[in-house]
Amino acid sequence: MTTYILDGIWGGHSRWERLRSLIDKSIGPCRIWRYDNSGHTSLGALGISLREELHGTDGPLNLVGYSMGGLVIRESLREPHELPVRRAVFLHSPHRGTLFAHAYNLPACREMRPGSAFLARLDEAVWTIPTLATWCALDAVVVPGQSACWKKAVTTIQSPVPAHAWPVISPGIHQAVIRFLEKAASLSGKKENLDPARL
């Protein structure tokens, strides 16, 4: 079982080392995928690169994406594939886009604008992977914050801390990710509720 962690736009990949280490000890091998998160590369191209990377990995996979990283994961799995993805986690990812993306005229930012053709293609794709999603109401990067809520997630956590970067450092969210990845592959469509006060 190998887990990949993807950071968001402009983030320092190494800041995920704590979560990587926790997953490595609790679940199995965990890697931080250090990709071009400058915004200059389209999410479509990044999705293709991730898919190629994952095809070179043996055994089942878990995928954890923060912010834009979650959209890269969804794009990598949008077309039919044979990747053995067991579970996915999206931490404050703008599934319905973010108004913040209008501030930057970069390829990835244009794709993250609400109503973009890129997001429409993602929404049309079939998704059967058990998924955890987190969001916060007063997110200053994912605007509005509810854009990080995703109807296809089996577990949704509202973060009590109104900070986009909270999943990077929150021990509670890290433990929620570990617990989610440890569970059986199938939830039979059952929704799960986790206590946000612990995050």
Side-chain angles (χ1 to χ4, degrees):
M1 178 71 63
T2 302
T3 301
Y4 280 80
I5 299 175
L6 277 70
D7 200 359
I9 193 167
W10 306 317
H13 302 290
S14 296
R15 63 183 176 165
W16 291 98
E17 181 58 33
R18 181 178 182 276
L19 179 58
R20 189 211 63 76
S21 179
L22 288 172
I23 294 173
D24 196 74
K25 293 175 183 176
S26 303
I27 310 294
C30 183
R31 304 173 185 170
I32 298 170
W33 193 54
R34 299 172 184 271
Y35 68 103
D36 174 17
N37 61 348
S38 67
H40 291 278
T41 302
S42 74
L43 301 182
L46 292 172
I48 292 171
S49 295
L50 177 60
R51 185 163 57 245
E52 291 172 351
E53 168 82 13
L54 298 178
H55 272 299
T57 305
D58 293 329
L61 300 162
N62 292 317
L63 302 173
V64 178
Y66 166 69
S67 196
M68 184 181 79
L71 299 183
V72 175
I73 289 171
R74 287 181 58 194
E75 172 63 14
S76 74
L77 305 176
R78 181 173 58 84
E79 296 182 354
H81 59 87
E82 297 181 357
L83 291 168
V85 180
R86 178 176 174 261
R87 292 209 151 195
V89 175
F90 298 138
L91 305 170
H92 291 23
S93 293
H95 298 288
R96 296 197 299 274
T98 172
L99 296 174
F100 181 79
H102 285 285
Y104 301 92
N105 192 28
L106 297 170
C109 292
R110 292 195 294 270
E111 290 171 320
M112 288 190 284
R113 293 171 182 171
S116 72
F118 171 80
L119 292 175
R121 286 195 302 272
L122 283 188
D123 286 342
E124 292 171 358
V126 174
W127 187 270
T128 59
I129 300 164
T131 301
L132 163 69
T134 69
W135 70 287
C136 68
L138 298 177
D139 196 320
V141 176
V142 176
V143 182
Q146 287 190 335
S147 178
C149 294
W150 196 38
K151 61 185 178 182
K152 296 180 182 179
V154 297
T155 303
T156 300
I157 300 173
Q158 180 178 357
S159 171
V161 176
H164 184 65
W166 186 239
V168 178
I169 61 174
S170 167
I173 288 180
H174 290 181
Q175 287 304 316
V177 170
I178 297 295
R179 290 194 299 272
F180 183 78
L181 296 180
E182 285 177 334
K183 291 185 178 178
S186 174
L187 292 174
S188 303
K190 181 181 178 182
K191 296 283 184 177
E192 298 174 289
N193 294 307
L194 298 175
D195 181 6
R198 298 168 59 188
L199 307 178

